Amino acid sequence: MLERPMWQRTEGHFRPIASKEPRPLDQWSPETESSPPETTTQSSWFLKKEAANRDLYWCRSWSPSSPWAPPGRLAPGTRFGSREPEPPLSSLGPADRTLGGPNGARLLSPGREAGPGRAGRGGGLPAEAGTPASGPPGPPGLAAGPGPAGGGPVPAVAAGSSAAAPFPHGDSALNEQEKELQRRLKRLYPAVDEQETPLPRSWSPKDKFSYIGLSQNNLRVHYKGHGKTPKDAASVRATHPIPAACGIYYFEVKIVSKGRDGYMGIGLSAQGVNMNRLPGWDKHSYGYHGDDGHSFCSSGTGQPYGPTFTTGDVIGCCVNLINNTCFYTKNGHSLGIAFTDLPPNLYPTVGLQTPGEVVDANFGQHPFVFDIEDYMREWRTKIQAQIDRFPVGDREGEWQTMIQKMVSSYLVHHGYCATAEAFARSTDQTVLEELASIKNRQRIQKLVLAGRMGEAIETTQQLYPSLLERNPNLLFTLKVRQFIEMVNGTDSEVRCLGGRSPKSQDSYPVSPRPFSSPSMSPSHGMSVHSLASGKGNAAHFSGFESCSNGVISNKAHQSYCHSKHQSSSLNVPELNSINMSRSQQVNNFTSNDVDMETDHYSNGVGETSSNGFLNGSSKHDHEMEDCDTEMEVDSSQLRRQLCGGSQAAIERMIHFGRELQAMSEQLRRECGKNTANKKMLKDAFSLLAYSDPWNSPVGNQLDPIQREPVCSALNSAILETHNLPKQPPLALAMGQATQCLGLMARSGIGSCAFATVEDYLH
Amino acid sequence: MACLLETPIRMSVLSEVTASSRHYVDRLFDPDPQKVLQGVIDMKNAVIGNNKQKANLIVLGAVPRLLYLLQQETSSTELKTECAVVLGSLAMGTENNVKSLLDCHIIPALLQGLLSPDLKFIEACLRCLRTIFTSPVTPEELLYTDATVIPHLMALLSRSRYTQEYICQIFSHCCKGPDHQTILFNHGAVQNIAHLLTSVSYKVRMQALKCFSVLAFENPQVSMTLVNVLVDGELLPQIFVKMLQRDKPIEMQLTSAKCLTYMCRAGAIRTDDNCIVLKTLPCLVRMCSKERLLEERVEGAETLAYLIEPDVELQRIASITDHLIAMLADYFKYPSSVSAITDIKRLDHDLKHAHELRQAAFKLYASLGANDEDIRKKIIETENMMDRIVTGLSESSVKVRLAAVRCLHSLSRSVQQLRTSFQDHAVWKPLMKVLQNAPDEILVVASSMLCNLLLEFSPSKEPILESGAVELLCGLTQSENPALRVNGIWALMNMAFQAEQKIKADILRSLSTEQLFRLLSDSDLNVLMKTLGLLRNLLSTRPHIDKIMSTHGKQIMQAVTLILEGEHNIEVKEQTLCILANIADGTTAKELIMTNDDILQKIKYYMGKDGTAAVPGVTGTPWAPASIPHPC
């Protein structure tokens, strides 16, 4: 009546290692490491076997189609400089946005670059996000070769994998695998900041017992001890502990061979736990063992837990960092909770005890057998329900009033006076600042965002006479920006000297966006969207009142671009005159048309977000190129030229540069050294070193989006003089929420994974 | 009209209470249609959420008047709609309310209303119909009496999300059995409802899903159609799998798991398909967890039991998933001691579901242990499981008893358990009790389990015999139900295997030769085979053969002749020849063959026809006696 349990299915392909030819396995003992010359024949046998085995194993088990490219398709050298499609870039984009302003800005710049810059980045980016421990920076394919650079003596088997590397297709497959890993990790654990807490990607060649051998990019673990007694047990930990910000963490281990006795343990352990043991035997160590199916919770005696496991089985281990539990899976089936009250900072760990035992880890290199994303979905829903049901405001209406105040102050801060007025009227709020003052600020902001710095500075000095005097650093920043705009040909001083405004530079269609954090923009767009669509049309007919803000005109503009581009030639000038606000005579129709194109393209790319520019700049640069060519066709003879191409303007610019230099020196004398100022000036001047500043490495300064931080600093300074908060409370609250999530991640509270601020902004 | 006649009698009792309600009814008779309309609207506001008011109005005869207004040609659509709303509100009350409404023939009136062109009115009628049809007191046949109703409802499905929701709900409650499924299917239910699964309204999606679960249940035709239906470029099973996702509402997960389960059991989806193995099964196991509501746990366990019943591999997977076997042990902990002390409401709730939980757990254990010895062992090793099952055998609820017997039957297929746990817990005692005066459905399972307990190696055999099993089993062989007859004769066959002379005599005496002949001419082949098996087992070992043949020789020879002459298949003939072989083994009994020319002629005939079957018969070597454990 005894039936064979389902998990005893044998996989004929893996057996031979363990059963048919046990001899070579004995050669995996530590001695081989010390005397490589004697064992060359053995190890080359092993390598062949190993390589063949790997082929089989990968093709059959992990990926439906073979990851190996045909040999020789890609010479090793060409990979480096070749124009590969850039999934890492696109996959990094959204993730990096969560990091905050500077990163967002940094990522924006590559989008504007072209030519050599791109090739260099193609190699650089993956490394930037790659694991510090997984080897030298550079294209991931390189790491496939000599193994971890930082490691100590290279173990025999690691050398084996490098010997296998001559197959070029192996390299490119590894490259693919690395990319897939990156993609999967970003998708599974978007809340993890890998700069701070890297994710486990392989087993650590340093944090292991000597009886453990690693191969295949440190993913395969085999036993090379004697395996006579439990004293011969050996474990290996992953390179990094599991970050709490994962929320739910999961990895899988495939049993390639159960070896002699199948005494294998899969689990977790804290740093420093003895590696001469199987996981679960010691304090802060947890494991599920294949021979008896028991779970070991920091104890030498196991508890009956699940089925046994053996060759061919895939065992998964899931750590829930929200309730600090762990469960295992076998071949995709959840086996139920194994451990509760887990401590933080555990490492994925495996332990082996008898010769011939070989297991492969999957930290995300391949699709998981178990549907972990489904489990994560459940917890995301749970956490979000918890947030939604969080009790707020004891007294009736208090909560609502507070939110209304926040919205209102936000609108006022950014100078959306019409919206703010309407909002205040319908919610019975009082606006703290006078309407005229808002309009003044708005006027200045608009000038800055249009790149007309000279006028902006003048207006500021007119309206707030002592502001810039008291704030020389701000003035300096403004002036540097003015210099940049001069180079760009957008500043009014050079513009009036006859330079034609270069396409795409002078219009800044996006509304004031004062924080550097890109995460803000969705809410920004949203808060005015409904109003804008209605108002934009009205404005179009009524000639648009002078005080209406940028967003509204922008919205109207956008909608026309999308719907009526072909037939709207009549509307174009009118719309653009709205967009450009008042006194904009220099522009001719041709350049207006160009503006439309720019809008059209940048918005078309990022349809999911209401903000076109942010998305436009984080996308692939070749798309950007398309955009460029398109524009060039449209604007025919127009090319971007320094200061708009006018000689007088260039002279004016040079002169202004000298003044700036003088001002810088004076500032240093009065206020002492200021590295930020110095760098700013240096970067600005560097623009002149290139024949085509727009495509130079420092060209990103010319991007209209760089006007935003300047604009925001000026706005804040003005508000401060009125004793108003430098930042709107809404932005503060969001900043606090974001910080709080970061703090949660550092304090080991896993629920932060499913409560990102962005989720609540659309 | 029935409620009109009753009204005066009830009124005398309720006169005081109804005084305030009378005003509302009176206003329905106002000659001014505007005032009538206002009256109906006031009535609507008065009855919402007020069961007493509803009862009063019904007693006062508001229903026939409302129905009259609803059907009257001259009534404005607005008035008609309000009438339907009030009626719907009344139906929302107690079951008695629904009965009263049914007595007034509300259903034809409302169905008539569906022909109106006004959508609002149609929706009100449908809402009311929905409420009535979902009540347990409403016979679902009422939906099918008029053949034009179903096609009309199908047509209304496109009108609005409300018509979609209500119609699907009506279908899912009124589709009972294959006849209804066929009617709905033939009217294009699958195509009409499939696209509702992607509706924006959760309620519509949910009701559509429920519809599919009742349509697919045990219906290969519907199920086969469902697997190939495309909605928005996706196959229906894929849509169901999406609805199984863990972030979906539990109700939706559970219902889509049911759909997939029914499609699988109807043969439309393979049991090794990933959507069953990796999606449906884990989802159903999750439904059994402590976090779920008691109702969900019951439904989850029952559905899972149904899903894995025929497939060993699924049973094995379920048995290791999320500690299911241990999880089910929790089903017996209601009402818990905590709930009794702290919370009366919860105690009440627990008590209400305690039976359901227990029977669901027994059912699932029965399915889990149906084939795999290791799983059976795991179940029996679960804390106090045998005690719980034994207690379950004597519970008052028929459902629990039945499930407990099924569970025990499943576990009794293990030789090891028969010899150990079953003996330790004296399972036979409560089992014999269950067999007394039990309803047929329990008897069928209990008697087939008795077959296993009577196997020769079972230690329970002796005590069972002593407690009068022979009489009981002979009684079963006379049952109308063929399943019971098979089980009865099967158990007797097992009992006679290598039994003492006395037992064999008892069996023969209790059964009587007349009954034996009747069984030999039974229409059910199984009964015939087991009866022959019984004869073989009775006629083994030489002294027994001689003894029995000396008393019943004539009849037995007659029976054998009868079978050999009859139109039977080869197995039956073979079994009969084996009996002859056994008889030939007897010392004196041999004479009965040797002196019977007729029999000898027949043996000769069969030898010529198929040597292998007949040769041992003549040489007189007794064959291995028939004794086979009960397979089902």
Side-chain angles (χ1 to χ4, degrees):
Chain A
M1 281 264 190
L2 260 176
E3 285 135 293
R4 196 174 61 166
M6 55 166 281
W7 51 85
Q8 277 181 3
R9 280 177 302 192
T10 49
E11 299 270 315
H13 292 278
F14 307 127
R15 283 251 145 152
I17 295 185
S19 51
K20 278 189 196 158
E21 302 200 48
R23 197 172 58 92
L25 284 167
D26 293 338
Q27 300 300 331
W28 289 359
S29 57
E31 294 91 325
T32 49
E33 277 180 36
S34 54
S35 54
E38 292 168 36
T39 56
T40 37
T41 49
Q42 297 293 353
S43 67
S44 68
W45 172 89
F46 164 71
L47 287 172
K48 262 185 249 156
K49 192 86 184 171
E50 183 83 342
N53 207 27
R54 178 174 61 175
D55 256 328
L56 257 179
Y57 170 53
W58 277 12
C59 302
R60 288 176 61 254
S61 325
W62 292 118
S63 55
S65 62
S66 166
W68 308 97
R73 193 190 66 179
L74 208 60
T78 55
R79 183 171 19 85
F80 207 95
S82 69
R83 282 193 52 176
E84 292 177 71
E86 299 176 36
L89 182 62
S90 62
S91 69
L92 271 175
D96 259 20
R97 264 199 280 160
T98 60
L99 298 177
N103 278 321
R106 180 173 48 74
L107 260 175
L108 291 172
S109 52
R112 284 273 162 191
E113 287 173 28
R118 190 186 56 232
R121 194 183 61 258
L125 258 180
E128 190 177 291
T131 57
S134 77
L142 272 190
V154 181
V157 183
S161 73
S162 77
F167 301 103
H169 62 275
D171 256 12
S172 76
L174 273 173
N175 205 345
E176 267 310 304
Q177 180 182 310
E178 199 73 19
K179 280 180 192 163
E180 199 186 337
L181 172 69
Q182 183 62 29
R183 269 196 296 274
R184 189 165 289 113
L185 292 183
K186 278 293 167 206
R187 197 176 67 231
L188 288 174
Y189 317 116
V192 173
D193 175 3
E194 284 216 73
Q195 310 279 333
E196 210 172 306
T197 50
L199 286 158
R201 283 159 196 258
S202 61
W203 300 116
S204 166
K206 288 179 267 178
D207 198 4
K208 67 176 185 66
F209 194 65
S210 56
Y211 290 172
I212 289 287
L214 297 178
S215 60
Q216 301 198 357
N217 229 18
N218 291 335
L219 289 174
R220 173 162 290 189
V221 183
H222 67 258
Y223 183 78
K224 52 180 186 179
H226 309 287
K228 300 220 169 72
T229 70
K231 282 180 185 166
D232 297 326
S235 291
V236 58
R237 267 187 283 272
T239 46
H240 299 283
I242 299 163
C246 292
I248 308 279
Y249 182 78
Y250 186 70
F251 71 99
E252 278 179 354
V253 170
K254 171 148 188 159
I255 315 302
V256 178
S257 166
K258 77 176 190 77
R260 196 184 70 201
D261 297 327
Y263 291 161
M264 302 160 291
I266 292 162
L268 308 157
S269 66
Q271 196 168 33
V273 172
N274 187 355
M275 297 315 268
N276 188 13
R277 312 269 284 159
L278 286 189
W281 286 351
D282 302 288
K283 196 167 159 47
H284 292 319
S285 174
Y286 307 85
Y288 165 37
H289 291 196
D291 55 314
D292 55 6
H294 287 186
S295 65
F296 289 72
C297 177
S298 305
S299 150
T301 47
Q303 298 289 317
Y305 168 68
T308 57
F309 56 85
T310 184
T311 308
D313 284 327
V314 176
I315 303 300
C317 175
C318 176
V319 184
N320 182 331
L321 296 130
I322 299 157
N323 59 13
N324 299 314
T325 58
C326 161
F327 69 85
Y328 288 91
T329 65
K330 178 178 164 174
N331 299 328
H333 298 286
S334 160
L335 304 178
I337 298 287
F339 310 113
T340 56
D341 303 308
L342 290 174
N345 293 320
L346 291 172
Y347 290 72
T349 309
V350 289
L352 306 174
Q353 200 187 300
T354 64
E357 291 169 358
V358 183
V359 300
D360 272 1
N362 175 12
F363 293 108
Q365 281 85 358
H366 309 278
F368 290 120
V369 179
F370 177 71
D371 190 352
I372 187 64
E373 282 174 75
D374 199 25
Y375 182 72
M376 289 172 126
R377 266 197 289 271
E378 183 181 345
W379 278 90
R380 180 170 290 117
T381 320
K382 272 187 198 173
I383 300 289
Q384 283 173 357
Q386 225 174 341
I387 295 171
D388 293 346
R389 282 193 230 107
F390 187 81
V392 285
D394 295 321
R395 267 172 293 169
E396 206 178 322
E398 203 178 48
W399 178 251
Q400 197 184 11
T401 315
M402 190 173 72
I403 288 183
Q404 284 168 350
K405 270 188 186 152
M406 283 177 98
V407 172
S408 162
S409 60
Y410 176 82
L411 293 172
V412 169
H413 184 99
H414 295 305
Y416 302 128
C417 51
T419 317
E421 242 183 332
F423 185 80
R425 223 181 301 124
S426 61
T427 54
D428 275 342
Q429 302 270 315
T430 47
V431 178
L432 284 173
E433 196 184 4
E434 275 173 47
L435 202 62
S437 165
I438 303 176
K439 284 181 186 169
N440 283 338
R441 281 195 291 114
Q442 197 190 32
R443 215 170 92 204
I444 295 170
Q445 287 189 53
K446 226 178 242 173
L447 288 170
V448 175
L449 292 177
R452 290 152 58 190
M453 289 305 299
E455 283 170 76
I457 295 169
E458 212 171 295
T459 316
T460 311
Q461 279 164 339
Q462 229 169 51
L463 293 168
Y464 309 97
S466 57
L467 175 77
L468 294 177
E469 273 168 45
R470 275 184 281 115
N471 213 336
N473 280 325
L474 179 62
L475 179 62
F476 183 71
T477 311
L478 296 177
K479 293 250 182 190
V480 172
R481 186 69 215 173
Q482 186 178 3
F483 177 80
I484 295 167
E485 299 297 352
M486 279 178 162
V487 174
N488 202 18
T490 37
D491 191 71
S492 16
E493 279 193 53
V494 296
R495 192 190 288 252
C496 65
L497 288 169
R500 303 189 67 179
S501 67
K503 61 186 182 63
S504 86
Q505 306 294 310
D506 62 312
S507 90
Y508 184 80
V510 186
S511 56
R513 194 139 40 94
F515 337 104
S516 42
S517 159
S519 65
M520 288 302 299
S521 37
S523 80
H524 191 91
M526 180 191 68
S527 58
V528 286
H529 186 271
S530 55
L531 279 166
S533 56
K535 264 208 142 173
N537 290 334
H540 171 60
F541 294 114
S542 68
F544 210 69
E545 67 253 43
S546 61
C547 79
S548 68
N549 59 53
V551 171
I552 291 173
S553 60
N554 175 39
K555 285 289 169 187
H557 191 130
Q558 274 184 19
S559 61
Y560 271 93
C561 280
H562 282 293
S563 55
K564 291 190 168 182
H565 180 54
Q566 299 296 340
S567 59
S568 66
S569 54
L570 262 179
N571 293 326
V572 171
E574 203 176 323
L575 276 166
N576 269 281
S577 69
I578 293 163
N579 197 20
M580 297 303 118
S581 74
R582 301 163 307 172
S583 61
Q584 182 100 321
Q585 285 97 16
V586 196
N587 270 340
N588 59 22
F589 286 3
T590 331
S591 67
N592 281 336
D593 208 346
V594 171
D595 292 338
M596 294 247 337
E597 283 296 326
T598 319
D599 276 355
H600 184 78
Y601 277 95
S602 52
N603 284 311
V605 173
E607 278 166 342
T608 45
S609 159
S610 55
N611 190 305
F613 251 88
L614 179 71
N615 286 288
S617 39
S618 64
K619 68 190 182 192
H620 304 301
D621 53 354
H622 66 108
E623 277 178 41
M624 209 60 190
E625 242 171 28
D626 289 351
C627 176
D628 279 356
T629 33
E630 192 82 302
M631 286 195 295
E632 249 136 49
V633 171
D634 266 27
S635 57
S636 57
Q637 78 278 22
L638 267 182
R639 296 209 65 85
R640 282 191 294 206
Q641 286 175 303
L642 202 63
C643 299
S646 143
Q647 191 57 38
I650 293 178
E651 273 161 28
R652 171 77 194 109
M653 182 261 289
I654 303 279
H655 180 71
F656 186 84
R658 291 207 187 97
E659 282 174 19
L660 209 52
Q661 177 70 30
M663 185 185 178
S664 160
E665 278 158 22
Q666 191 195 344
L667 252 180
R668 199 173 60 210
R669 277 195 299 277
E670 283 166 13
C671 314
K673 269 197 177 173
N674 186 327
T675 44
N677 281 352
K678 197 176 162 193
K679 182 173 186 311
M680 197 157 51
L681 191 64
K682 199 179 137 201
D683 286 348
F685 285 170
S686 307
L687 285 170
L688 300 181
Y690 297 88
S691 57
D692 181 2
W694 288 270
N695 286 328
S696 72
V698 290
N700 68 312
Q701 293 178 90
L702 295 165
D703 194 322
I705 209 158
Q706 299 299 332
R707 295 167 187 162
E708 289 188 7
V710 180
C711 176
S712 149
L714 182 56
N715 189 33
S716 294
I718 298 173
L719 282 166
E720 267 185 312
T721 60
H722 288 26
N723 284 328
L724 287 167
K726 216 170 128 181
Q727 269 197 315
L730 188 61
L732 260 182
M734 295 224 319
Q736 264 173 353
T738 313
Q739 283 299 312
C740 175
L741 287 171
L743 196 63
M744 283 170 84
R746 284 188 287 278
S747 322
I749 301 168
S751 40
C752 65
F754 302 124
T756 42
V757 176
E758 281 86 351
D759 290 348
Y760 291 88
L761 293 181
H762 31 72
Chain B
M1 288 297 108
C3 65
L4 268 189
L5 292 174
E6 271 174 29
T7 307
I9 312 157
R10 285 204 209 155
M11 265 180 71
S12 59
V13 190
L14 297 162
S15 56
E16 288 159 50
V17 195
T18 55
S20 63
S21 311
R22 169 147 295 277
H23 174 65
Y24 288 112
V25 183
D26 289 345
R27 289 172 68 190
L28 299 181
F29 292 89
D30 199 291
D32 180 359
Q34 269 310 310
K35 285 187 179 162
V36 174
L37 175 62
Q38 195 52 48
V40 176
I41 292 172
D42 289 347
M43 187 186 271
K44 175 179 78 179
N45 295 332
V47 294
I48 287 175
N50 186 339
N51 269 348
K52 206 178 205 174
Q53 189 70 273
K54 286 177 191 171
N56 286 343
L57 288 176
I58 290 171
V59 167
L60 290 169
V63 179
R65 183 64 190 168
L66 285 170
L67 281 174
Y68 171 80
L69 292 171
L70 181 107
Q71 290 169 289
Q72 198 60 19
E73 295 268 333
T74 53
S75 304
S76 68
T77 329
E78 201 185 354
L79 177 62
K80 284 179 178 177
T81 310
E82 294 296 339
C83 286
V85 172
V86 175
L87 288 167
S89 202
L90 294 176
M92 283 285 198
T94 62
E95 285 181 8
N96 277 332
N97 289 3
V98 179
K99 276 183 198 152
S100 310
L101 291 171
L102 288 172
D103 289 341
C104 297
H105 305 288
I106 188 172
I107 290 181
L110 290 172
L111 289 174
Q112 193 64 34
L114 297 181
L115 298 171
S116 152
D118 185 79
L119 183 59
K120 281 267 168 292
F121 179 51
I122 292 176
E123 284 174 356
C125 287
L126 279 173
R127 192 181 302 120
C128 184
L129 278 170
R130 182 270 318 259
T131 314
I132 291 169
F133 274 117
T134 50
S135 163
V137 298
T138 313
E140 51 273 354
E141 279 305 332
L142 289 174
L143 185 66
Y144 304 94
T145 36
D146 182 347
T148 61
V149 169
I150 301 289
H152 187 60
L153 287 177
M154 292 291 174
L156 286 177
L157 270 176
S158 58
R159 292 299 292 276
S160 76
R161 51 188 272 190
Y162 297 106
T163 63
Q164 291 168 350
E165 179 192 336
Y166 302 143
I167 292 171
C168 286
Q169 207 172 346
I170 291 171
F171 285 165
S172 56
H173 272 90
C174 293
C175 183
K176 302 261 161 73
D179 294 347
H180 297 164
Q181 286 171 337
T182 310
I183 293 173
L184 291 175
F185 179 75
N186 288 342
H187 284 101
V190 172
Q191 282 71 24
N192 281 315
I193 298 174
H195 70 274
L196 303 183
L197 286 174
T198 52
S199 162
V200 284
S201 156
Y202 171 75
K203 284 181 177 170
V204 172
R205 268 180 288 153
M206 202 52 232
Q207 293 306 336
L209 195 56
K210 282 187 175 164
C211 256
F212 281 127
S213 79
V214 291
L215 281 172
F217 182 64
E218 290 185 340
N219 192 319
Q221 188 192 18
V222 174
S223 298
M224 289 298 198
T225 313
L226 286 184
V227 271
N228 294 319
V229 171
L230 272 173
V231 180
D232 286 355
E234 265 187 306
L235 284 171
L236 219 45
Q238 288 169 322
I239 292 178
F240 290 148
V241 166
K242 274 195 184 156
M243 290 176 153
L244 279 182
Q245 286 180 350
R246 294 167 86 142
D247 54 347
K248 296 281 183 292
I250 297 299
E251 187 193 25
M252 182 172 267
Q253 292 185 36
L254 187 52
T255 315
S256 45
K258 271 183 167 175
C259 287
L260 288 165
T261 298
Y262 296 159
M263 286 160 76
C264 176
R265 282 299 307 266
I269 302 178
R270 290 164 54 98
T271 51
D272 59 358
D273 192 298
N274 269 353
C275 79
I276 297 295
V277 179
L278 290 175
K279 300 287 175 190
T280 310
L281 188 147
C283 172
L284 288 171
V285 173
R286 284 202 301 278
M287 294 302 139
C288 300
S289 91
K290 234 179 188 167
E291 289 165 40
R292 303 275 73 86
L293 299 176
L294 299 185
E295 296 89 333
E296 291 159 358
R297 290 166 75 180
V298 170
E299 238 178 292
E302 285 182 331
T303 313
L304 184 56
Y306 182 62
L307 174 68
I308 64 174
E309 202 180 4
D311 191 277
V312 201
E313 197 53 39
L314 289 181
Q315 289 159 12
R316 285 181 191 142
I317 293 169
S319 76
I320 61 158
T321 302
D322 284 338
H323 298 129
L324 177 63
I325 292 174
M327 208 193 298
L328 283 178
D330 286 337
Y331 277 49
F332 296 92
K333 293 179 180 158
Y334 292 91
S336 67
S337 47
V338 187
S339 64
I341 304 160
T342 54
D343 191 347
I344 289 292
K345 225 174 161 182
R346 190 166 145 208
L347 175 69
D348 189 49
H349 181 246
D350 283 5
L351 273 174
K352 237 182 16 214
H353 290 92
H355 294 298
E356 287 292 306
L357 280 167
R358 279 199 291 272
Q359 62 89 21
F362 282 140
K363 269 187 199 161
L364 186 44
Y365 277 134
S367 285
L368 279 168
N371 300 88
D372 189 292
E373 183 66 24
D374 285 339
I375 301 177
R376 284 184 202 127
K377 198 159 160 264
K378 247 165 128 182
I379 293 173
I380 285 170
E381 280 168 1
T382 312
E383 44 169 326
N384 306 326
M385 199 38 66
M386 282 311 280
D387 286 339
R388 279 184 184 135
I389 300 173
V390 171
T391 321
L393 288 178
S394 40
E395 267 203 49
S396 56
S397 156
V398 177
K399 242 177 143 179
V400 180
R401 260 187 292 161
L402 177 61
V405 176
R406 275 176 61 180
C407 178
L408 209 51
H409 173 232
S410 169
L411 297 174
S412 73
R413 283 181 214 152
S414 153
V415 179
Q416 194 200 348
Q417 301 309 335
L418 272 183
R419 298 178 71 113
T420 54
S421 310
F422 278 64
Q423 186 59 17
D424 297 345
H425 290 87
V427 170
W428 62 271
K429 269 189 206 162
L431 182 70
M432 290 306 286
K433 224 186 243 162
V434 167
L435 282 163
Q436 317 288 337
N437 307 319
D440 268 14
E441 44 180 354
I442 293 190
L443 270 183
V444 172
V445 192
S447 55
S448 49
M449 185 181 143
L450 199 58
C451 292
N452 291 351
L453 285 180
L454 284 170
L455 283 172
E456 169 266 338
F457 49 79
S458 161
S460 310
K461 187 174 180 178
E462 279 302 306
I464 291 176
L465 282 175
E466 281 161 23
S467 57
V470 178
E471 296 290 327
L472 191 128
L473 290 172
C474 292
L476 286 184
T477 61
Q478 295 174 21
S479 161
E480 302 259 309
N481 188 334
L484 281 179
R485 289 200 301 272
V486 174
N487 286 348
I489 195 73
W490 196 324
L492 286 172
M493 178 184 87
N494 283 355
M495 193 190 276
F497 178 66
Q498 291 185 2
E500 295 162 29
Q501 172 71 41
K502 184 181 163 297
I503 297 169
K504 289 183 176 174
D506 274 356
I507 294 173
L508 266 178
R509 195 184 56 240
S510 295
L511 197 59
S512 81
T513 37
E514 292 81 46
Q515 177 62 11
L516 199 66
F517 276 106
R518 230 173 283 141
L519 290 171
L520 284 174
S521 51
D522 201 288
S523 55
D524 191 319
L525 181 68
N526 252 327
V527 174
L528 174 58
M529 282 298 280
K530 298 305 164 206
T531 314
L532 291 173
L534 170 68
L535 274 177
R536 257 181 84 183
N537 283 352
L538 288 174
L539 295 170
S540 71
T541 71
R542 203 161 289 161
H544 292 179
I545 296 169
D546 287 337
K547 185 87 204 305
I548 291 169
M549 289 312 282
S550 67
T551 48
H552 298 83
K554 201 172 151 212
Q555 290 94 328
I556 289 174
M557 291 311 289
Q558 233 175 342
V560 169
T561 320
L562 192 80
I563 300 290
L564 288 178
E565 280 172 358
E567 287 288 317
H568 290 293
N569 67 21
I570 182 105
E571 280 91 15
V572 174
K573 298 275 163 99
E574 186 187 337
Q575 192 76 302
T576 319
L577 289 171
C578 286
I579 293 171
L580 276 182
N582 283 11
I583 295 172
D585 191 41
T587 331
T588 52
K590 202 178 204 164
E591 288 307 304
L592 280 165
I593 296 179
M594 301 315 284
T595 54
N596 192 328
D597 272 349
D598 194 21
I599 290 281
L600 286 173
Q601 281 300 318
K602 287 198 167 63
I603 293 173
K604 200 175 154 197
Y605 166 73
Y606 282 109
M607 274 176 76
K609 197 181 175 195
D610 183 357
T612 48
V615 167
V618 204
T619 52
T621 323
W623 275 19
S627 172
I628 315 140
H630 200 285
C632 55

